[in-house]
Amino acid sequence: MVSCCDVSGGWEWGALFYSGFPPTSGRSQTVLAGGQRSTLRSLTCGVPQGSVLSPLLFNIYVKPLGKIIRGFGVSYHQYAADTQLYISTPNHISDALSVMSRCLEAVRIWMDRNMLQLNPAKTEWLCIPASQSSFEVPSLVMGEEVLPPVDRARNLGVLLDSWLKLEEQVGAVARGAFAQVRLVRQLRPYLDWDALCTITQVLMVSRLDYCNALYLGLPLHTTRRLQLVQNAAVRVVMGASRYSHVIPLLRGLHWLPVALWVRFKVLVLTFKVLHGMGPGYLRERLLPASSTNLPVRAHRRGLLRVPSATQCHLGTWGRAYSVAAPALWNLLPLELRLAPDLRTFRHELKTWLFLQCGLC
């Protein structure tokens, strides 16, 4: 699998806000570079940065890119000014790179015609092989630039590595969260309990929660670092000693351990996807369970089909959403799978997970 990240080229992509939009008046711009400031120039078009219309107009402006990218058989994701192109190939990686190079050249031509610039210095590509076997990965050609593959790439704040082990991502999250725990410890004498809980949620728990569904199925020695952070935070909030057992403290705060909280996030996402509240590309990966004997009954009970390893073609087979989500979903009791709404599902799921780990 080949992933090409940050095609946006940083601020150059942001320059879209200054062309092709309704006229404005009374605004000007200047550029500061190397300690030198350019002369003021009036703006006759565009929208102010941070305006309500900016995201909508941005999406309208870049909409033609989607048709260009899809024309090469390449998939893509866009979030704000970040664009990721990705392609999967069962053949030689050189075939995928050739397609990606042609696609990027078409993107560059479109951007040139629309007063934009594709910045190779801010474009990275990552190869994610299907197996652990080592092989030489060729470079990606983008116009006259040659881009060697990177060992890791940051995607919306998450460090993805070539083997999807996420060890560096977990390490970065753990270091940042521990720093926040130390800050909460310093604030503790000055806050009441409710304020302390709120501050901890904002500063520390939010870091552990961000994209934590990706941690599903990681080895224990990797996720243990995140659990140590949570243990430290729980002891600070509850005013317990460093060696206090965390299970009763977690029960008091009604916090799930990290591993179960990750499972909670995946199952909630799965409920949303099944009920039309999640991404369509994930819905395509969730199929009802079928049986030669009782296909209707299996579907009525809300069971999902778990793909085999040969169907996934990925070294991290057990962690793929199309595998992990159905496997976890099928373990839920019938009344949970058939919950009438999201609020009920979240509440009953958390209670069920607490029972599973003996916190109730």
Side-chain angles (χ1 to χ4, degrees):
M1 182 175 183
V2 180
S3 176
C4 184
C5 301
D6 198 12
V7 178
S8 62
W11 69 267
E12 290 83 357
W13 194 281
L16 290 170
F17 293 122
Y18 297 100
S19 61
F21 297 136
T24 58
S25 61
R27 295 192 298 114
S28 59
Q29 74 171 13
T30 182
V31 176
L32 178 65
Q36 300 295 320
R37 185 181 296 274
S38 67
T39 57
L40 283 173
R41 297 194 63 176
S42 298
L43 294 179
T44 58
C45 59
V47 293
Q49 183 178 1
S51 70
V52 176
L53 277 178
S54 296
L56 177 61
L57 295 175
F58 178 87
N59 290 331
I60 294 173
Y61 197 92
V62 300
K63 192 175 188 302
L65 268 184
K67 183 177 180 180
I68 295 173
I69 296 171
R70 289 192 298 270
F72 289 88
V74 176
S75 302
Y76 71 100
H77 284 158
Q78 287 180 304
Y79 183 83
D82 291 327
T83 301
Q84 296 88 38
L85 309 183
Y86 58 97
I87 185 172
S88 177
T89 174
N91 303 319
H92 297 292
I93 191 173
S94 57
D95 298 335
L97 290 179
S98 177
V99 174
M100 189 69 77
S101 295
R102 297 197 303 271
C103 180
L104 287 174
E105 179 62 16
V107 169
R108 185 193 64 79
I109 293 173
W110 183 89
M111 295 180 71
D112 286 344
R113 291 173 178 174
N114 290 271
M115 298 175 289
L116 301 171
Q117 180 182 0
L118 182 59
N119 191 347
K122 295 184 178 180
T123 301
E124 298 177 322
W125 81 275
L126 178 71
C127 176
I128 304 176
S131 64
Q132 297 288 333
S133 59
S134 59
F135 61 94
E136 185 177 355
V137 181
S139 298
L140 174 66
V141 178
M142 190 174 73
E144 298 180 355
E145 300 287 337
V146 177
L147 303 179
V150 296
D151 294 330
R152 66 195 66 84
R154 188 175 294 276
N155 184 7
L156 299 180
V158 176
L159 279 171
L160 299 177
D161 58 90
S162 298
W163 305 108
L164 298 180
K165 294 182 178 180
L166 296 181
E167 291 183 355
E168 293 193 37
Q169 165 65 15
V170 170
V173 170
R175 289 190 297 271
F178 262 126
Q180 300 305 315
V181 171
R182 289 192 292 269
L183 178 59
V184 171
R185 183 180 289 111
Q186 295 172 1
L187 294 174
R188 192 179 191 283
Y190 310 101
L191 300 173
D192 59 36
W193 193 79
D194 290 336
L196 189 65
C197 289
T198 301
I199 289 293
T200 305
Q201 290 279 351
V202 172
L203 295 180
M204 191 281 298
V205 177
S206 61
R207 291 175 178 264
L208 296 185
D209 284 354
Y210 183 70
C211 292
N212 63 345
L214 296 174
Y215 307 149
L216 183 68
L218 288 178
L220 181 61
H221 68 84
T222 301
T223 56
R224 184 175 180 272
R225 303 179 66 178
L226 301 177
Q227 187 59 55
L228 292 175
V229 176
Q230 189 190 55
N231 294 349
V234 167
R235 292 183 177 112
V236 170
V237 173
M238 300 297 286
S241 67
R242 180 179 179 182
Y243 302 102
S244 299
H245 194 47
V246 297
I247 293 298
L249 303 180
L250 288 170
R251 186 187 301 116
L253 287 174
H254 206 61
W255 286 6
L256 286 168
V258 170
L260 289 182
W261 185 244
V262 170
R263 185 184 300 184
F264 176 86
K265 293 287 286 291
V266 173
L267 287 170
V268 169
L269 175 60
T270 304
F271 183 91
K272 290 181 178 180
V273 170
L274 291 174
H275 291 79
M277 296 180 286
Y281 63 88
L282 291 182
R283 183 65 184 89
E284 297 172 357
R285 287 161 173 76
L286 298 179
L287 300 176
S290 59
S291 171
T292 55
N293 297 325
L294 297 172
V296 177
R297 180 181 177 186
H299 177 72
R300 186 167 57 246
R301 291 174 63 87
L303 298 176
L304 298 175
R305 189 174 69 187
V306 181
S308 64
T310 56
Q311 291 174 308
C312 283
H313 304 291
L314 191 65
T316 54
W317 166 75
R319 290 170 49 205
Y321 179 79
S322 57
V323 176
L328 292 177
W329 182 263
N330 292 346
L331 293 175
L332 297 177
L334 177 63
E335 59 273 13
L336 254 179
R337 295 198 303 271
L338 302 181
D341 53 68
L342 179 60
R343 183 176 181 179
T344 301
F345 179 79
R346 289 175 60 94
H347 175 75
E348 295 184 358
L349 174 62
K350 193 171 184 180
T351 301
W352 183 77
L353 289 174
F354 266 101
L355 289 171
Q356 296 303 302
C357 66
L359 289 177
C360 287

